[in-house]
């Protein structure tokens, strides 16, 4: 698969391919009722209630995260990630397709993780909603236990895909190159909306490109000229593009869109605002981004 997206028709035609490994990366993240109202749950229950036939639930909160980190969805140790992926039945020659039950952001997060491990995968454009809208059926309950996979790729993340708090501090201080880009909504960026995180606002010097602006009314990624227009504000930005959001999830959708547009110097700040806003000594600012 040379493209990061596949259509529901493409998937439906290959649903019985023995090489197919279909992963449901859904997570349930509640809308906040007040600042600091962070409530997140596994998407396993939703997967049990209905999933595409043959799909296995990929646990971004547990097995595919670092349990010792101070923030959710933290990038796991590469060996832990590889072990979890083997448990999901992935092989070197697997056709790996990832989807989720909502906006495709969770699927993009897992896609970026796999890509950083050197594992080829694709995201189902439009996710489960597009599958249902096309008239395809769902399966309920547990799937047959998957045999362990035999991934031979090294348990190592490739350079240039992830940055940490120290890297961001260097950019903010003007000691490292790059443009920080917040993928959250304009209201979360400027601090006018209730936030799940410890403080409102954005990292100083950031640009704002809401990930939701990358999708059409049907929940599919914009293509061609429409995608180019959505990304136009970053065309003259100083590379690399250093993406963040609340927990490195919306940022992954932006990373996928940038990849489709041919951008290669892109990295995600894993801790994002969950980590940054929780440390009072780190600067946050409010107000709109500069024109």
């Amino acid at each position: 698969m040379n493209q990061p997206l596949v259509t529901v028709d493409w998937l439906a035609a290959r649903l019985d391919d023995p090489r197919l490994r279909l992963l449901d990366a859904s997570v349930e993240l509640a809308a906040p009722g007040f600042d600091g109202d962070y409530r997140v749950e596994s998407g396993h229950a939703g997967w049990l209630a209905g999933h595409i036939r043959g799909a296995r639930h990929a646990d971004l909160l547990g097995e595919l995260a670092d349990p010792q980190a101070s923030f959710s969805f933290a990038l796991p140790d590469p060996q832990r990630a590889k072990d979890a992926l083997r448990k999901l039945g992935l092989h070197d020659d697997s056709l790996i397709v990832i989807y989720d039950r909502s906006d495709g952001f969770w699927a993009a997060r897992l896609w970026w993780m796999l890509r950083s491990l050197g594992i080829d995968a694709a995201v189902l454009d439009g996710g489960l909603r597009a599958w249902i809208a096309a008239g395809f059926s769902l399966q309920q309950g547990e799937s047959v236990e998957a045999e362990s996979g035999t991934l031979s790729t090294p348990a190592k993340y490739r350079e240039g895909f992830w940055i940490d708090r120290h890297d961001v501090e260097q950019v903010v201080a003007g000691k490292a190159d790059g443009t920080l880009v917040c993928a959250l909504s304009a209201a979360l960026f400027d601090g006018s909306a209730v936030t799940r995180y410890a403080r409102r606002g954005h990292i100083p010097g950031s640009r704002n490109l809401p990930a939701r602006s990358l999708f059409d009314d049907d929940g599919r990624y914009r293509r061609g000229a429409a995608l180019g227009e959505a990304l136009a504000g970053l065309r003259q930005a100083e590379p690399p593009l250093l993406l963040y959001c609340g927990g490195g999830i919306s940022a992954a959708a932006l990373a996928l869109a940038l990849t489709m547009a041919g951008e290669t110097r892109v990295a995600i700040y894993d801790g994002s605002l969950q980590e940054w806003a929780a440390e009072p000594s780190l600067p946050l600012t409010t107000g709109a981004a500069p024109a």
Side-chain angles (χ1 to χ4, degrees), residues 140-160:
Q140 295 180 324
E142 294 284 356
S143 295
V144 176
E145 185 77 18
E147 293 184 4
S148 293
T150 55
L151 288 173
S152 63
T153 54
K156 182 180 180 180
Y157 291 114
R158 296 194 286 170
E159 293 291 331

Side-chain angles (χ1 to χ4, degrees), residues 153-168:
T153 54
K156 182 180 180 180
Y157 291 114
R158 296 194 286 170
E159 293 291 331
F161 281 79
W162 305 98
I163 57 172
D164 60 18
R165 167 184 158 175
H166 172 74
D167 297 319
V168 177

Side-chain angles (χ1 to χ4, degrees), residues 134-270:
F136 296 119
S137 62
L138 299 181
Q139 186 178 54
Q140 295 180 324
E142 294 284 356
S143 295
V144 176
E145 185 77 18
E147 293 184 4
S148 293
T150 55
L151 288 173
S152 63
T153 54
K156 182 180 180 180
Y157 291 114
R158 296 194 286 170
E159 293 291 331
F161 281 79
W162 305 98
I163 57 172
D164 60 18
R165 167 184 158 175
H166 172 74
D167 297 319
V168 177
E169 288 179 295
Q170 292 295 299
V171 174
V172 172
K175 297 178 180 179
D177 294 334
T179 300
L180 290 163
V181 184
C182 178
L184 295 174
S185 70
L188 286 169
F189 181 87
D190 68 23
S192 61
V194 172
T195 181
R196 296 183 178 92
Y197 312 110
R199 292 178 289 153
R200 295 191 185 194
H202 58 270
I203 300 171
S206 299
R207 306 283 287 274
N208 182 213
L209 202 168
R212 292 189 188 280
S213 69
L214 305 168
F215 296 83
D216 64 21
D217 292 342
D218 294 323
R220 294 178 175 86
Y221 280 87
R222 300 184 187 278
R223 306 291 184 97
L227 179 60
E229 183 178 345
L231 297 173
L234 299 182
R235 287 302 186 195
Q236 304 303 317
E238 179 186 28
L241 299 177
L242 307 174
L243 316 180
Y244 72 95
C245 51
I249 308 300
S250 296
L254 178 51
L256 191 154
L258 286 164
T259 301
M260 287 198 296
E263 297 289 343
T264 57
R265 296 188 63 187
V266 177
I268 293 176
Y269 169 27
D270 191 35

Side-chain angles (χ1 to χ4, degrees), residues 88-174:
L88 288 167
L90 271 56
H91 297 274
D92 291 333
D93 65 346
S94 294
L95 293 175
I96 305 169
V97 177
I98 312 164
Y99 75 90
D100 62 45
R101 304 178 61 84
S102 50
D103 303 308
F105 295 1
W106 307 109
R109 168 70 182 202
L110 182 54
W111 171 82
W112 190 255
M113 186 190 300
L114 293 182
R115 191 163 179 262
S116 71
L117 287 165
I119 299 172
D120 187 36
V123 169
L124 179 62
D125 199 14
L128 192 68
R129 292 175 182 171
W131 182 263
I132 294 171
F136 296 119
S137 62
L138 299 181
Q139 186 178 54
Q140 295 180 324
E142 294 284 356
S143 295
V144 176
E145 185 77 18
E147 293 184 4
S148 293
T150 55
L151 288 173
S152 63
T153 54
K156 182 180 180 180
Y157 291 114
R158 296 194 286 170
E159 293 291 331
F161 281 79
W162 305 98
I163 57 172
D164 60 18
R165 167 184 158 175
H166 172 74
D167 297 319
V168 177
E169 288 179 295
Q170 292 295 299
V171 174
V172 172

